[in-house]
Amino acid sequence: MTRLDRLCARITKLHGKILLRGKLDVKDAVRIGRLLNAAKPLCGRTFKAWIYQHCGFSYMQACRYRRLAVFAKGNNLLPFENLYQAYQAAGILPKPAPNSEHERQLLSTAEEIRREKAIARNQKILAERAAFAKQVSILNGSTWKVFRGDMEKKALEIESASIPTIITDPDYLKDNYEQSYQKLARIANRVLFDGGNLITFAAHAHLPHITNILADSGLTYIWLLAYTMGGAQARQWDKKIINEFIPVLWFTKGKKRKPINYITDVIHSPSKEKSFHAWSKNIAACEQLVTQFSAPGEIILDPCCGGGTIGVAARKLGRRFIGIDRDPQAVRITARRIKETVGVA
């Protein structure tokens, strides 16, 4: 039996006693926390999965136990009547509401300081993103441009490490979808700055392969988002699946992300919009993507712009936009829509 197995057995036994008693005291919580802290270096990156598989409680509860065990090293926990009070003392759970005006003023001041620090941190992130984004000569001083041509060849005219965000919807239903995503991966690795985002729609049927193509190129997988289909459904008869969302893959270039906002992983499409292109997406849903993954004034690149919905959303929200498509009709539609929405400049 390995040391990890012995730790697991002790945690399971102690947790079983707690379940039988129906309560958890401070000493038990500290013991479990110490055992978990000893198991963490043995598990490495699999620690979270190990907890779910072997310990019988959630990862969040395990984090509370571990923090309490660390707190107990330099503090006496005996005076606390129950675990809830010990959690409050360790800062794991919030303390009760203040009873006096003085306490309320102190909390208000602390909240103001916390808010100011958060604002300063976001401003620093935006400044870093702005510093990475060089002056892109392909725009030639304009706020948007749409180009006809092969996406990879045209993207070569964009300076390296100059784009913060790519949002695109390649044609993933054709047999040569692999080539499209390989090109997209090469473009992202070249034009995105370190920490920049690639947001791309994908197909359920090819999702593992598309994910591998992007990951194998050196991009870092972050999350899978769901784009709802506006109440529509697609039936996969061979698999007996009613499909109500489209996968949206989120990758970044490099390891250091520079997030601006919290990201919602469900993109709500109120209705289908197919009047401009066969695979157009809803403008409100695209605005949600643009808002979550970029800041005003930044550049968004869509190398498969189709009907131009991403471009319209970008310009409506004060972002600059570069669109590329090999279909001359798609380029004309995109340019016309942006002009009608926000003007020529």
Side-chain angles (χ1 to χ4, degrees):
M1 180 182 288
T2 65
R3 186 187 177 199
L4 187 60
D5 291 334
R6 290 194 295 272
L7 290 171
C8 179
R10 291 175 64 188
I11 292 171
T12 304
K13 182 178 179 180
L14 186 57
H15 188 64
K17 290 181 179 179
I18 293 166
L19 293 176
L20 288 173
R21 287 202 310 266
K23 66 177 183 178
L24 177 65
D25 61 32
V26 178
K27 290 182 180 179
D28 291 333
V30 172
R31 289 193 190 101
I32 294 176
R34 288 171 179 166
L35 293 171
L36 289 170
N37 287 335
K40 175 69 168 64
L42 300 177
C43 293
R45 294 184 178 182
T46 63
F47 182 60
K48 187 173 183 178
W50 180 80
I51 288 172
Y52 280 116
Q53 291 174 5
H54 300 287
C55 294
F57 45 81
S58 69
Y59 179 70
M60 184 67 70
Q61 184 63 46
C63 291
R64 294 193 187 104
Y65 290 153
R66 294 181 63 212
R67 287 180 62 185
L68 189 65
V70 172
F71 179 76
K73 285 183 178 180
N75 297 274
N76 182 15
L77 296 180
L78 293 178
F80 297 112
E81 296 179 1
N82 55 52
L83 187 62
Y84 184 76
Q85 290 181 354
Y87 279 163
Q88 288 181 336
I92 299 170
L93 293 178
K95 294 185 178 181
N99 295 320
S100 67
E101 182 63 27
H102 178 64
E103 289 181 353
R104 280 190 285 270
Q105 289 177 357
L106 289 176
L107 287 176
S108 177
T109 303
E111 179 63 22
E112 288 181 11
I113 293 172
R114 187 199 62 78
R115 191 160 44 244
E116 289 174 359
K117 286 184 178 180
I119 292 171
R121 185 170 58 250
N122 286 341
Q123 289 176 342
K124 182 180 179 181
I125 291 171
L126 290 174
E128 289 177 355
R129 290 172 66 98
F132 270 106
K134 303 173 184 176
Q135 183 66 32
V136 179
S137 59
I138 197 173
L139 282 174
N140 195 24
S142 177
T143 55
W144 64 272
K145 291 282 186 181
V146 185
F147 301 95
R148 177 192 172 190
D150 178 77
M151 62 176 175
E152 188 171 17
K153 292 179 180 178
K154 201 65 187 176
L156 289 173
E157 300 178 26
I158 302 174
E159 287 81 355
S160 299
S162 62
I163 301 295
T165 306
I166 297 173
I167 303 177
T168 194
D169 184 11
D171 188 351
Y172 45 73
L173 297 180
K174 292 184 178 180
D175 293 336
N176 62 346
Y177 74 91
E178 294 181 4
Q179 185 180 1
S180 297
Y181 284 95
Q182 287 167 354
K183 286 184 176 181
L184 180 60
R186 290 193 291 268
I187 292 171
N189 274 296
R190 199 185 73 79
V191 304
L192 286 177
F193 60 54
D194 189 28
N197 297 306
L198 168 63
I199 312 300
T200 179
F201 289 82
H204 283 282
H206 309 312
L207 190 60
H209 194 192
I210 292 171
T211 304
N212 288 336
I213 289 172
L214 297 176
D216 291 345
S217 74
L219 297 170
T220 303
Y221 172 81
I222 300 297
W223 206 254
L224 177 68
L225 289 76
Y227 173 95
T228 64
M229 298 167 63
Q233 297 176 347
R235 292 180 182 269
Q236 305 294 327
W237 297 101
D238 57 332
K239 297 180 177 66
K240 293 192 178 296
I241 294 174
I242 299 176
N243 177 211
E244 296 186 356
F245 80 94
I246 300 172
V248 182
L249 288 167
W250 174 16
F251 279 79
T252 63
K253 178 182 174 180
K255 303 292 184 182
K256 186 179 179 182
R257 289 199 301 125
K258 296 178 176 62
I260 304 171
N261 308 304
Y262 276 97
I263 305 301
T264 302
D265 60 5
V266 177
I267 311 301
H268 296 281
S269 172
S271 61
K272 296 175 68 175
E273 290 184 13
K274 303 295 182 184
S275 54
F276 299 104
H277 193 272
W279 304 110
S280 285
K281 299 299 185 288
N282 181 275
I283 182 67
C286 290
E287 287 177 6
Q288 184 182 344
L289 284 173
V290 169
T291 301
Q292 291 193 152
F293 290 101
S294 67
E298 291 187 345
I299 299 173
I300 291 178
L301 169 64
D302 183 356
C304 309
C305 63
T309 306
I310 294 294
V312 173
R315 290 302 302 130
K316 281 178 67 177
L317 296 168
R319 278 71 168 169
R320 291 178 285 169
F321 176 72
I322 300 173
I324 305 171
D325 204 289
R326 64 171 55 202
D327 182 2
Q329 184 179 2
V331 172
R332 287 194 295 269
I333 291 173
T334 299
R336 175 174 56 82
R337 289 183 68 193
I338 296 177
K339 288 177 183 177
E340 291 175 351
T341 304
V342 293
V344 178

